[in-house]
Amino acid sequence: MGKGGMSHGEGSKVEEENMAAWLVGLNTLKIQPFLLPSVGPHDVRVRMKAVGICGSDVHYLKTMRCADFVVKEPMVMGHECAGIIEEVGEEVKHLVVGDRVALEPGISCWRCNLCREGRYNLCPEMKFFATPPVHGSLANQVVHPADLCFKLPENVSLEEGAMCEPLSVGVHACRRAEVGPETNVLVMGAGPIGLVTMLAARAFGVPRIVIVDVDENRLAVAKQLGADGIVQVTTNLEDVGSEVEQIQKTMGSNVDVTFDCAGFNKTMSTALAATRCGGKVCLVGMGHGIMTVPLTPAAAREVDVVGVFRYKNTWPLCLEFLTSGKIDVKPLITHRFGFSQKEVEDAFETSARGSNAIKVMFNL
């Protein structure tokens, strides 16, 4: 059980009135009471105002699992979130009631070797919103460690604060790949993570970005958001060779780094083939569990393959990018819903359908 709350037990009047969107079964969401723990000395209680739907949320709804994480009992959904502080613990000095904050959703142990060396995103004891068996943040209120709540600058909205979570994935990927003003980037996939990775890469100074997808509508969005080139591809492995030629022609020079933000056999095969000798391919997030890809030819060209899982120490930089205007995430929010039973169901179905939906946001 994570810090977010509990399904049953003793609670105050405030806690009893707290409601959340629970995943109670396959394709079944219910708004039900969500009792919160007391606020500890280093915690804050936050009233949620903006919560986005992530692809992992949809996976849990449709299959009751995401990669190796399996839902075995009812779970509160949501992890992309921002809100307003309503109560602070007695040891909290940097936040006060009324502050608007973006929440980093993962609580690591801070004791294991990975945490001690700064790679807390890989902590084996990580308690992450809406990752079984930890409850999420699609609720009226949550309790969370104060050091994982980041005060929003005046010119950053609560919705933009919630977008710091997916943006953090792109920022962490760019750090892992060490992109910069001399790096040409290819992005496989123009979904939400592909698009935030593209935006992050531009903020890091990348001069040229080409993005690839099967969907012409998403490619059009990518172009509007600043992609230098777009390439529409198929799902057929037989087309990899010709599509790599098209990608390299569109780039106009070497592909230094490729971000595979889709995670299929074909996208990874294309990434490995398109990237120059000595370049990098970053597999962002959790794609297919088992992939068959041409590693030997890539190894012969010394193409490095780098894994990217969640993020670490990214919220301050995300907020700096948003405050300065280097990144504008507002165009990514395509659909907004309230917090009623019907709206919750409609929002998840809208996100699951994809099509013209990029980021679906709840306004609580």
Side-chain angles (χ1 to χ4, degrees), residues 347-359:
F348 272 86
E349 285 306 309
T350 298
S351 184
R353 282 196 302 270
S355 185
N356 65 336
I358 299 175
K359 180 57 61 178

Side-chain angles (χ1 to χ4, degrees), residues 100 151-157 160 323:
R100 301 176 313 123
K151 187 174 178 179
L152 298 179
E154 289 186 4
N155 66 333
V156 175
S157 70
E160 291 173 284
T323 302

Side-chain angles (χ1 to χ4, degrees), residues 48-116:
M48 291 290 97
K49 289 295 184 181
V51 180
I53 296 179
C54 174
S56 64
D57 295 318
V58 175
H59 276 294
Y60 288 129
L61 175 65
K62 297 298 181 182
T63 67
M64 299 295 283
R65 70 181 300 148
C66 184
D68 293 331
F69 299 105
V70 181
V71 180
K72 298 180 179 178
E73 58 186 26
M75 178 182 77
V76 176
M77 299 289 267
H79 62 266
E80 303 176 358
C81 55
I84 299 174
I85 291 181
E86 293 205 332
E87 182 180 354
V88 299
E90 58 186 18
E91 297 297 325
V92 176
K93 309 300 181 185
H94 68 291
L95 296 170
V96 298
V97 172
D99 280 346
R100 301 176 313 123
V101 292
L103 283 66
E104 182 173 348
I107 307 172
S108 56
C109 76
W110 294 114
R111 295 183 300 274
C112 69
N113 288 338
L114 287 163
C115 284
R116 287 161 64 89

Side-chain angles (χ1 to χ4, degrees), residues 289-324:
I290 298 176
M291 288 192 284
T292 302
V293 297
L295 279 179
T296 301
R301 296 185 296 112
E302 292 195 352
V303 175
D304 293 339
V305 178
V306 178
V308 175
F309 184 60
R310 293 176 178 157
Y311 34 69
K312 60 185 180 73
N313 301 317
T314 51
W315 261 252
L317 183 56
C318 287
L319 290 173
E320 180 182 322
F321 283 153
L322 294 175
T323 302
S324 66

Side-chain angles (χ1 to χ4, degrees), residues 185-191 194-195 198 209-213 218-219 222-223 227-232:
V185 163
L186 170 65
V187 178
M188 305 297 299
L195 293 174
M198 180 189 76
I209 303 171
V210 171
I211 192 162
V212 171
D213 203 281
R218 293 208 164 186
L219 287 173
K223 189 67 174 176
D228 298 293
I230 56 174
V231 177
Q232 187 172 8

Side-chain angles (χ1 to χ4, degrees), residues 4-17:
M6 59 200 80
S7 56
H8 299 286
E10 296 182 358
S12 70
K13 185 175 186 297
V14 170
E15 293 165 353
E16 289 168 0
E17 294 175 347

